[in-house]
Structures are given as structure tokens and as C-alpha cells.
Amino acid sequence: MASETSRAGIEGRTLELGGGLAEVEAPAHFTNARVEAWVDWADGRTDLANAILQYAYSLAGKAQAKGLTKDLKTRTRFREAITEAMLLGTIALSPGGAPLRLLEPGAAALERMTAAHRGREAAQAAAGRLSARLQAVMDAVLRCEGGPEACADPARNTSLARAAEAARAAGATDATILEAIALASAGEAEWLCAPPPPAPATAMVAVGDAGSALATAAWTTGRIIAAPDADAAGAIAEGPALPTAGIELMAFFDATGFDSTGFAAAVMVAATALAAEAEGPMRLALGGLADWLAAQGLDYDSDAGRLAARRLFEAAKEAAAPIGPDLRLGLVDDPELALRLGARLDAAPWNGPVTLAETADGVVVRALSQAARLGLGDEADAATTALLGHRSLAGAPGVDTAALEARGFTSLEIEAAEAELPFVRRLAEAFAPRIVGEGFLRDVLGATAEQLADPTLDVLALAGFSPDAIAAAEAHALGRDSLTGAGVVAPDREAAFRPAAEVALDARRAMLEALAPVLDIPPVLEARLPWDRGLAAVQALLAESCVALRVRRDPPPAVLSLDIPPTAELPARAPAPAAEAAPAEPPQERIVERIVERDRMRRKLPDRRKGYIQKASVGGHKVYIHTGEYDDGELGEIFIDMHKEGAAFRSLMNNFAIAISIGLQYGVPLEEFVDAFVFTRFEPAGPVTGNDTVKSATSILDYIFRELGVSYLGRDDLASADSAALNADGLGRGKADNADADEPQPVSHFISRGFARGAAPDNLVFLPTASRPAGPAALGSAGVCAACGDIAVVRKGQSLICETCGARAGRRSEDQAS
């Protein structure tokens, strides 16, 4: 922190400006953010002292041309005064911007604004979802490895059919879906769609007599300023376009009190600068009113505070009176001007006795504000300890050095955490894993890999400290944000140092109502409401406020989810009372379908389960697939082993298999996984050996889910075109194996002897089917044989003969007679 005597000193510092580093000459007491704001004002010039001096010379020349300075001596004094004030940051000027839009009187304009806002929000929400669905349509075409016509045909590309159905449900027209398919077929990979721009945040001014339309527009958009009358609405709308000067009040405050003479002189300098620069109306504002009140120990929400504030503005108006009626006194909501001045210009309550200061090396730390030190007087030291804490854990209640050492912390971890205390707001941040070290957490505190990966891990809680103990130590080491209830300030003085969070909206309204008669531009009260407050809250605020009002609702939580019960659980609607007895209609038969959604329960696999193991090599990398099945044959788990890969890749594949298995056990259809992961492309990839159905794969995941799709879903479209599986018989034998088709196949080739535990006899075989007539048409009318169970019973003459085992099923006449 720079001392008062060196505040006007100029120093060089390196800042990142315009995407690169630049050397800037600026006042030493300016923070980096404040310097950047002044560089923007100076159109990018980095020597601020020279830029301000040149601007002062220009102002002095304009002032003399307009007769605002009488002679050379007066001109020189004005130039020196405005240069010094701007270098100290006491005065800042702004050329003004665009005026606010003044809505037409009546409800029609407000209703159009509400409708346009809702339409823009709906378009933004729909654009993102629709773009994602149409991108999925294109991906379904691009990932298909069939012919171009088949890939672009939803009837032959099941992934495309599902994506198109989802896009239609999201609101896409069939023509748009066909456009996405055509783009993908032409080789385009991305569905380009930019959502409409968000609604502008600039306010609009309306006269507050439009009834419910005004409340609805204010509640919906948050952009409406409801002015009490047409004259006030016009003045508020014109305000942002006026050239503006701001004066920092705390620059005239020291240990002896407020320098009213210096303040009046600064007001005249600022007013002269505005008059020299502007043609027509201009605006003057005072910055840091709440700090000015706190420095005097005055409560913002008190009659004495409001009276002092009103007299201050009256003094400013009187000091600027020689400039004429074109200079208008008002409250200003200009973040850029406030940043250059270092104080807010809207007469809002202050942020509290704790402010953020910047050290010489650019580190931001918490410190007691100048206003708090002046206002607290002899109580400042005790308040500093209560607000900023002891910055040490020595003697802290609950979590002190001894308690930490008893739980395994060494001086290394404790000193590292204490070094972070000046820069954090929570004790958990000082004991973050990056500070104390993951090795210590794992080896001493026993943290698991999942806990170490959790960004919200509370190390002190992991060490066994209770929330109350942590809170007590946090207050001791880091302090608090407010003096309310701290016991270091007399109870009758605590209210003067309350932060804005503890000041009610009524206090802000009362302050603006007290200042309104002095101001030339009507003040605007900004009310923030919780996101779930209804329209009635806005209507009540409009009815109660005597000043212009702008209502804004907080944005809803990002994780907001509406809990909508199934329609089947809703209570039945009560029948309407019958006015007259109507003739009874004949009963009509209806088919009622009730959809009952069961809770998602994990379906456990049996302890002894069947499945198979498939060994193959993808692009020269060996991979084993182990499957586990339910008793009904449905897939319930998979294991993926790649023995010669790196540890990271092996662990990733193992955990991926666990995730898939959990999804299957919670009811996620295997089809969803297959459609999601086939055709994914990454290394290793290439030819597949050791698998008789899949001969090539674009990745390990592509191979795994092709194999599962063929084996469990019958997805022969995922098998390689030259695979024998496409022409396989019921035993998995292809054309190449038909030479041995007459031989019976032992069951042990297909049923695990260990799993069966002797339930399958050694002499059990699968009978050959080579004696069947060739072609499926020959067996189109075949029946089931009661002797062998095969579908091979055909009529021969007057008898029904099984083509597999030769059993006679009976004569046709006997069957007809029976």
C-alpha cells in the first residue's frame, strides 16, 4: 500500500494488454485493474502521465476558448489542478454513451418486449438441443462403413434412424434432417448452427402506470426501469448519453476530518472540465458515499446518515452553480468510470470494512479499508484482528498446531498451509491437496484415489476434525466479513459498519428518496430478487416505491431440475357437476395402456455365472474379452484384458469395462452401448486375428462392441463381409466347415464341463443337420419333432417324417382325425 505522500508518484509496471505484455507508466497507488481502465481511456497509450498531461492542455485550451478561464494565470491553475486530480484518481471523466430506450406509453410496447424476450430465450434453448441432434444425424452417416446409399437410408442404417427420430422429437423438420444427411453424404463433418445472441442487458425506461403489463415485463426481462412520470422517464433515459465527471469523496478525508474547501474546489474543477469538453447538458456524480458515511461513523440506514448525505450533495450543487443549469447532479451506474475513480457513483451501501488491496508484486490480499480505519478510530486494531484474523493457527480453537501434529501433520505441511492464509478465504483452501501434498494425504491420512481426485476434498475433515472445530479455527485464523456480533465495537456503533449484505432494500430506498429533491436526474433503485420470487413480489415493489425502480431476478441454479411426477400418479380430475340429466350413451370399449416406471434397481448377477472368453489381436495388440451372463443368457458384465499395454491404458480399459458392466446391471440396453461405440476411431486399430466374425476394427472399442453385438444381439451387419458367421449354421459353423457337417458335435465344445458339474453327460451330442433339404424354402412349412426337438418334420406321402432323426410323427389322416 502506497503512502499518501507517494500517491502521485509514477512507476513503471509490466501488464498484459491486448494479448501481449506492455510496459506501462502509471501512478504507483493504482491497482493493475485500475491502470488497465485508464489505458483504455487513453486509447491504448501506456504512458498515462503524459496522456493525462496532454489531455489537460487540451482541456485548458477549450476552457479559455469558451471563456471559462479569464487569463493565463487562471488557465494554468486549472490545467495543473485537473492534471493533479486525474493523476491522483480524484477526478475521472467520461464522454458518455448511448441513451436508454424510452418505451412508448401503454401496455402494448411492454407486451411486445416481453414476447420478444421470451422468443429469444426459447430460440436459444432450442438451438443448442436441435444442433446436437442434427450433428448426431450427420455422425450416424459418417461413421457408417457400408455403401453410400445404405448409410444414408434410415431403413438400412439403424443408428441413423434413431438419430433422425431424436432430431424430429427435438423439433427438426424432415427437410432439415434430409439436409443434414445430404451434407454428411457429401463429406461435411459438422452441423454449423449459431444460436441467436442473448438479450442485451441495457435497460429500457417506461412510465410506471401500465398496470400488470409493466410488472410482467419487469419480472420477465429484468430490463425495465419504471419511472414515476414522463419527465422523470425522459431524464433517466437521457442520462447515460451525457458527458460525466466523477469525484472520489474519500480523497478529501484524513485524520482531521473532511476537507470541505478542497471538495468544493474539486467540484468546480470537474465542472469546468465538463463545460470545456461538452456542448449541452452534462452530468456530475460523487463516488464513495457509503465510505464517506462510514468514515464519520454514520449509519447508512439512519436519519443522521441521510441528512449528511443530502447536505453533501447540496454543497456539491452549490459549488458547481457558476457553470450553469446545463450541469446536472445525479447518480451514475458506469462500471468503467467507477473503476478509474476507485469508487462507486450510485450511492449504494458499501461492501464492508474489508477491502481488497494489491501488493507491490500484484498479489491481491484482504485489508482494512481507509473508511473503516477512520470511522473505527481507537477500535481499529481490535477490528483488524477480528476481520482479518491472526493469520496463524497457533492458539486457534479446535484446529491448532498441537491438534494437527497429533493427527500426523508435520511442520512442513503446517508451515505450507499457514503461508497460504493471507490469500484464502476458507481454511480448506489453505490445506488443499496441492498445498500439503498428495503423498502425505495418501500415506498418512489414508486418502483413496477417488478422494484425491475429488476437487472438493476437505483435508481437515478427512483428518477427523469436526465442522464446528474447523469453523472456530477459520474465524481465528482468517477472520470474518462483518463486525456484527464480533464484540469489538460498541453495540450502538455496529450498524455504521454493516456491509451491503446486511442493509435492507428499504434503507437503500430511503436514502434515494432523501437525495431525490437535490438531484437533477431522478435516482433509480435497483432491487435484486431471488430467482423463485413470483410476480406478486414485483407488483408490491412497484406499489411501494416513490422513486424509479428496476427489478432484477437472480439467475436460477445451474443444476435446477423440475421434479415432474408421472401422469399416472396424478390425482384424477373431479367431474364437473351435471346441469341436466343427459341421455346415457352406450358404453364404449377402450384399450387403456398404463406405463409404470419402476425405480432403477441394480440387477445382481448370480454368484456362479456362465459366459465366454474371446481372444483376438487388433492391429497386433492382444485383447481378451470375458463375458458374464444372467441365467436367462442376457449379458451382465464384461472384462477387458490387454496384458502387454501400458499401465495407464490397461487401467483405463479395466475401469471402462466396470462402467459398462454397471450400466448393463442397471438396465441400460446393450444396443445403446453398441450404437455408441462402434466405428470409434483411435489406435490401436487395423486387422483382427483370432475372431471368426470380426476381421477388422477401427479401434479396440469398435472391435469389442462389434463382437458383443454379433454374439448377443444377432447384429450380423457388424460382422465383416467375408466372415463365415454370415453363413453359419446353428452351431456356428460356416461354409468352410460343411465338409464335416455329417459328424455329430460333442456338447463339450459348447458347454463348460466345470460349469455344468456333470449335468451334461459325456455322450451328449448335437446332431448334424446336413440331411435337410437345401434352402430355407424347403423347411418353410416344417414342424417341430417331438423326438429330437429339431424343426425338421415334413410331409412325405401320407406320413410326417423328421428329416433329422427319421422319427415318424404319424399319418396325415391320423393327424387330421385327431
Side-chain angles (χ1 to χ4, degrees):
M1 299 288 292
S3 64
E4 290 294 324
T5 57
S6 64
R7 288 188 67 187
I10 305 299
E11 69 172 10
R13 67 182 79 182
T14 302
L15 297 178
E16 185 175 355
L17 301 174
L21 296 179
E23 190 70 22
V24 180
E25 297 289 332
H29 67 284
F30 282 7
T31 63
N32 289 343
R34 197 172 177 184
V35 171
E36 291 177 7
W38 276 100
V39 170
D40 290 340
W41 169 84
D43 295 328
R45 287 178 290 177
T46 56
D47 189 349
L48 289 182
N50 189 41
I52 290 174
L53 184 60
Q54 291 180 5
Y55 180 70
Y57 269 101
S58 174
L59 275 181
K62 294 178 181 178
Q64 181 157 359
K66 290 186 176 182
L68 298 173
T69 55
K70 299 178 181 180
D71 50 28
L72 179 60
K73 184 177 181 180
T74 309
R75 173 184 172 181
T76 302
R77 281 202 302 264
F78 167 71
R79 187 191 72 239
E80 292 175 347
I82 191 66
T83 301
E84 182 182 9
M86 294 181 71
L87 285 174
L88 288 172
T90 305
I91 295 176
L93 302 175
S94 172
L100 300 179
R101 177 184 170 188
L102 185 60
L103 294 177
E104 301 173 0
L110 292 166
E111 291 173 351
R112 288 195 299 270
M113 179 182 176
T114 302
H117 180 87
R118 289 173 177 165
R120 188 180 291 107
E121 283 190 334
Q124 285 180 322
R129 290 194 296 268
L130 193 58
S131 178
R133 296 300 185 186
L134 292 171
Q135 183 64 54
V137 170
M138 296 183 67
D139 291 343
V141 176
L142 294 169
R143 293 174 180 174
C144 177
E145 293 190 346
E149 294 183 1
C151 290
D153 185 1
R156 290 185 281 178
N157 186 342
T158 56
S159 297
L160 175 60
R162 292 177 180 174
E165 184 179 3
R168 180 186 289 172
T173 63
D174 289 356
T176 307
I177 296 173
L178 290 174
E179 181 181 345
I181 295 174
L183 286 173
S185 300
E188 296 291 331
E190 184 178 1
W191 177 263
L192 299 177
C193 177
T202 54
M204 298 185 182
V205 187
V207 180
D209 59 356
S212 62
L214 177 63
T216 302
W219 182 80
T220 302
T221 67
R223 299 174 57 197
I224 296 296
I225 296 177
D229 52 56
D231 292 338
I236 293 172
E238 183 187 20
L242 302 180
T244 304
I247 302 175
E248 184 200 7
L249 294 173
M250 289 306 298
F252 308 97
F253 227 121
D254 56 24
T256 61
F258 182 66
D259 182 7
S260 56
T261 303
F263 168 68
V267 170
M268 188 59 191
V269 170
T272 303
L274 279 176
E277 188 75 67
E279 297 290 343
M282 43 202 160
R283 190 171 55 166
L284 180 67
L286 306 182
L289 175 63
D291 294 74
W292 182 81
L293 291 172
Q296 303 174 76
L298 295 174
D299 183 9
Y300 184 91
D301 186 17
S302 67
D303 293 337
R306 287 187 282 269
L307 179 60
R310 178 168 177 167
R311 288 177 176 173
L312 176 68
F313 277 83
E314 289 174 346
K317 194 168 188 177
E318 181 180 355
I323 298 300
D326 282 343
L327 183 63
R328 302 176 183 178
L329 194 62
L331 305 180
V332 175
D333 182 13
D334 186 339
E336 283 295 321
L337 182 60
L339 181 57
R340 283 192 280 123
L341 196 64
R344 295 183 61 170
L345 300 157
D346 55 357
W350 73 334
N351 292 327
V354 178
T355 186
L356 296 178
E358 194 171 77
T359 63
D361 53 357
V363 179
V364 177
V365 297
R366 298 170 71 241
L368 197 65
S369 68
Q370 177 194 5
R373 288 191 175 277
L374 292 171
L376 288 167
D378 296 338
E379 299 168 325
D381 292 339
T384 300
T385 302
L387 292 168
L388 305 182
H390 294 78
R391 309 291 176 91
S392 171
L393 293 172
V399 185
D400 61 357
T401 305
L404 289 169
E405 291 176 348
R407 285 169 169 79
F409 288 82
T410 66
S411 59
L412 180 64
E413 289 81 31
I414 296 174
E415 290 173 1
E418 287 187 329
E420 292 292 317
L421 292 179
F423 313 109
V424 298
R425 283 299 302 124
R426 295 177 57 248
L427 207 55
E429 298 174 9
F431 283 88
R434 63 179 180 84
I435 304 298
V436 298
E438 292 187 0
F440 167 78
L441 298 179
R442 181 175 55 252
D443 299 337
V444 178
L445 299 184
T448 64
E450 292 77 9
Q451 290 173 324
L452 292 175
D454 184 3
T456 63
L457 174 65
D458 189 338
V459 173
L460 293 177
L462 179 65
F465 292 102
S466 66
D468 292 340
I470 296 174
E474 190 169 270
H476 173 88
L478 302 179
R480 49 198 298 158
D481 293 325
S482 172
L483 289 173
T484 303
V488 297
V489 180
D492 58 336
R493 284 167 44 81
E494 279 188 353
F497 304 101
R498 291 179 300 173
E502 298 179 12
V503 178
L505 181 64
D506 291 340
R508 168 86 162 132
R509 181 191 295 116
M511 177 63 75
L512 297 188
E513 290 175 354
L515 297 178
V518 187
L519 301 176
D520 300 301
I521 300 175
V524 177
L525 174 65
E526 182 166 319
R528 302 287 304 194
L529 294 179
W531 68 273
D532 56 350
R533 293 294 296 273
L535 191 60
V538 178
Q539 293 172 333
L541 288 174
L542 290 172
E544 295 170 359
S545 181
C546 297
V547 296
L549 176 68
R550 181 179 184 181
V551 179
R552 298 193 196 187
R553 289 188 298 158
D554 294 330
V559 295
L560 178 64
S561 178
L562 183 60
D563 186 12
I564 303 177
T567 55
E569 297 180 5
L570 297 178
R573 180 180 299 176
E580 296 180 358
E585 296 182 358
Q588 297 180 354
E589 181 180 357
R590 294 190 305 166
I591 299 176
V592 179
E593 180 183 5
R594 180 179 181 184
I595 300 175
V596 179
E597 182 176 350
R598 297 181 300 176
D599 292 338
R600 297 182 182 272
M601 300 295 292
R602 186 173 182 178
R603 184 184 175 193
K604 295 293 185 180
L605 281 160
D607 293 336
R608 187 176 181 84
R609 63 201 70 161
K610 59 183 183 296
Y612 71 91
I613 301 175
Q614 173 69 59
K615 172 186 174 182
S617 179
V618 179
H621 294 258
K622 193 176 298 183
V623 56
Y624 293 82
I625 303 175
H626 304 243
T627 68
E629 303 173 5
Y630 291 100
D631 291 336
D632 60 1
E634 184 179 350
L635 180 64
E637 68 178 358
I638 63 171
F639 296 94
I640 305 171
D641 292 328
M642 300 185 69
H643 296 294
K644 293 187 178 181
E645 301 301 324
F649 190 75
R650 271 203 324 271
S651 299
L652 184 64
M653 294 304 295
N654 289 339
N655 286 279
F656 174 78
I658 293 173
I660 296 297
S661 301
I662 293 174
L664 292 170
Q665 293 166 26
Y666 270 101
V668 178
L670 178 59
E671 294 92 332
E672 296 295 332
F673 288 124
V674 170
D675 290 339
F677 293 110
V678 293
F679 306 123
T680 53
R681 295 179 180 273
F682 59 86
E683 295 296 331
V688 177
T689 59
N691 191 304
D692 59 351
T693 60
V694 181
K695 297 300 184 182
S696 64
T698 59
S699 66
I700 292 293
L701 296 187
D702 177 52
Y703 161 69
I704 291 170
F705 287 96
R706 282 176 181 266
E707 163 62 25
L708 296 177
V710 171
S711 300
Y712 285 96
L713 304 177
R715 290 282 300 272
D716 291 337
D717 58 309
L718 299 177
S720 300
D722 58 347
S723 173
L726 295 180
N727 299 309
D729 59 19
L731 299 181
R733 303 173 64 86
K735 287 181 178 180
D737 299 328
N738 283 342
D740 301 329
D742 294 335
E743 298 295 330
Q745 301 297 315
V747 167
S748 58
H749 288 182
F750 309 99
I751 300 178
S752 169
R753 183 186 302 272
F755 181 81
R757 287 180 173 172
D762 294 338
N763 59 352
L764 185 63
V765 297
F766 281 119
L767 293 175
T769 57
S771 58
R772 297 180 182 177
L779 298 178
S781 59
V784 179
C785 178
C788 67
D790 199 359
I791 305 175
V793 177
V794 297
R795 181 172 60 86
K796 291 188 176 181
Q798 296 296 320
S799 299
L800 297 175
I801 305 297
C802 176
E803 290 289 333
T804 299
C805 65
R808 182 185 297 272
R811 293 179 178 274
R812 187 179 184 189
S813 59
E814 294 173 356
D815 294 340
Q816 292 173 347
S818 60

